[in-house]
Amino acid sequence: MPKWYEEKGNSSDIVIATRVRLERNYKKYPFSVKIADDEAKSLIQEIQDLCKESEVMPKNLTYTSVNEMNETNKIALLERQIISQPMVKKEQSCGFLLNEREDVELLLNGDDHVRIQTIYSGMNITDAYSRANSIDDNLSDKLEVAFNEKYGYLTSSPTNVGTGLRVSYLLFLPALSGAGKMNTLAAEVSKYGVALNALYGEDMTSKAGLFQVTNQRTLGCTEQETIENLNSLVSQIVKQERVRREYILTRNYNGVEDQVYRAYGVLKYTKQIDSKDAVALISQLMFGVNTGILKLKPGENLFKMIMDVQSNVLQATIGKLVGPKTRDRFRAEYINKNLPEIAG
């Protein structure tokens, strides 16, 4: 069964993914910051049981306990945005339910009792929200939600109170970032209650070209207003990126083509490479593929490769802690082996 990132969606040359998160707490249990471990275990078991009994939930949800993992595996999951930062150090029982496609996830006793998360390839907020909302409705039918008539859904963090809804788009913006436009763009979208940040904690001059756009307001607005606002802004960003790509290729096609093929050669034959350089070069290949400069044989998944070359993801693959030099050599070997061939 293909994962969400192995499929193409609407505008997926720029919008890699659409992600919807709903934070929910239930009156039956203390909030996660105060919950005792026996209560946390009861919460986790009850939600697992409800998921198994429900006809709405995906049938192949598998539970994983975060507490039983070593720190490397936890940070690897954090790098892949599967768990949240507080879960890395959390002492009380916590974990997640994840389906085979990795497009539906329930974080249990993380920041809140449940974080319902759905993710789709490309620009597809309608399906992502509908699916998350359906799961939320199903759980809420069995467990009474912590809700206030004035403030809406109550959450551990004040920034999520209200709708409890976070919508984010993962964008690939190599042309705009290469032109130094990202700080200006971030300032513009912030006026509309939206944050734009580089992925993997890099600054806005990141050569990876990967950025996340997320709503900041959850109080004083409806779910529909949040969705429409973010959709409108992202549509404008997509247009700007397309215009900039066309401008770059019109002015300097041969130079860009040379950069793309050089990046391929380095990745194909390098013997050691750090994560920053690897991501930058893979991103150049993504740009080349998306603009038709480079054609790879079917089955290429360059974004998955970007996820896989992150340091802790690599160490989880190796199965033990290794030093930077060993890690850089293993990363190079992984890329050499998995880099798709150029189509003839």
Side-chain angles (χ1 to χ4, degrees), residues 107-263:
L107 264 65
L108 306 182
N109 196 38
D111 305 64
D112 293 287
H113 290 158
V114 177
R115 172 185 290 175
I116 301 164
Q117 179 169 282
T118 58
I119 184 166
Y120 279 73
S121 176
M123 195 169 179
N124 191 353
I125 188 61
T126 302
D127 289 344
Y129 175 71
S130 176
R131 197 173 193 188
N133 194 48
S134 176
I135 294 170
D136 177 36
D137 287 346
N138 193 261
L139 289 176
S140 299
D141 284 343
K142 307 295 183 182
L143 284 168
E144 188 177 1
V145 178
F147 185 85
N148 179 277
E149 289 296 330
K150 181 178 180 180
Y151 297 109
Y153 292 101
L154 303 179
T155 59
S156 296
S157 170
T159 59
N160 289 322
V161 169
T163 61
L165 171 67
R166 293 283 182 177
V167 181
S168 64
Y169 287 103
L170 178 57
L171 306 178
F172 182 48
L173 306 172
L176 288 174
S177 58
K181 304 286 187 181
M182 299 313 298
N183 284 317
T184 302
L185 191 57
E188 283 296 317
V189 299
S190 69
K191 297 174 183 177
Y192 300 92
V194 170
L196 190 154
N197 296 295
L199 197 63
Y200 303 123
E202 300 172 5
D203 63 29
M204 300 302 276
T205 61
S206 165
K207 292 183 179 180
L210 293 166
F211 298 87
Q212 195 155 272
V213 180
T214 311
N215 66 295
Q216 292 182 301
R217 290 179 57 210
T218 58
L219 186 62
C221 55
T222 67
E223 289 93 339
Q224 196 59 38
E225 287 169 343
T226 297
I227 289 168
E228 289 176 359
N229 180 46
L230 200 61
N231 247 5
S232 176
L233 288 172
V234 170
S235 295
Q236 290 301 315
I237 294 171
V238 168
K239 289 178 182 177
Q240 290 182 39
E241 173 68 14
R242 291 203 193 287
V243 168
R244 191 71 199 180
R245 288 184 184 188
E246 186 176 350
Y247 173 77
I248 291 170
L249 294 176
T250 301
R251 288 197 65 195
N252 188 24
Y253 182 90
N254 291 339
V256 175
E257 180 187 46
D258 184 61
Q259 284 184 337
V260 169
Y261 276 88
R262 281 174 184 264

Side-chain angles (χ1 to χ4, degrees), residues 34-131:
K34 293 187 176 180
I35 199 169
D37 192 50
D38 60 335
E39 293 171 313
K41 289 177 179 177
S42 177
L43 165 70
I44 290 168
Q45 189 60 57
E46 183 166 10
I47 293 175
Q48 286 190 74
D49 291 342
L50 289 174
C51 289
K52 289 176 184 177
E53 296 166 4
S54 170
E55 295 181 0
V56 174
M57 303 290 182
K59 297 302 180 185
N60 57 353
L61 285 169
T62 301
Y63 179 71
T64 301
S65 172
V66 174
N67 306 86
E68 296 174 4
M69 295 180 173
N70 61 41
E71 189 162 347
T72 298
N73 286 341
K74 290 179 184 178
I75 298 175
L77 290 174
L78 183 64
E79 286 178 343
R80 293 194 58 206
Q81 296 187 315
I82 288 177
I83 66 171
S84 61
Q85 181 70 53
M87 295 177 79
V88 175
K89 300 292 184 182
K90 192 152 193 167
E91 294 181 0
Q92 298 104 322
S93 296
C94 62
F96 59 91
L97 288 161
L98 185 67
N99 70 340
E100 198 173 343
R101 286 173 51 81
E102 297 185 14
D103 60 354
V104 173
E105 180 186 20
L106 279 72
L107 264 65
L108 306 182
N109 196 38
D111 305 64
D112 293 287
H113 290 158
V114 177
R115 172 185 290 175
I116 301 164
Q117 179 169 282
T118 58
I119 184 166
Y120 279 73
S121 176
M123 195 169 179
N124 191 353
I125 188 61
T126 302
D127 289 344
Y129 175 71
S130 176
R131 197 173 193 188

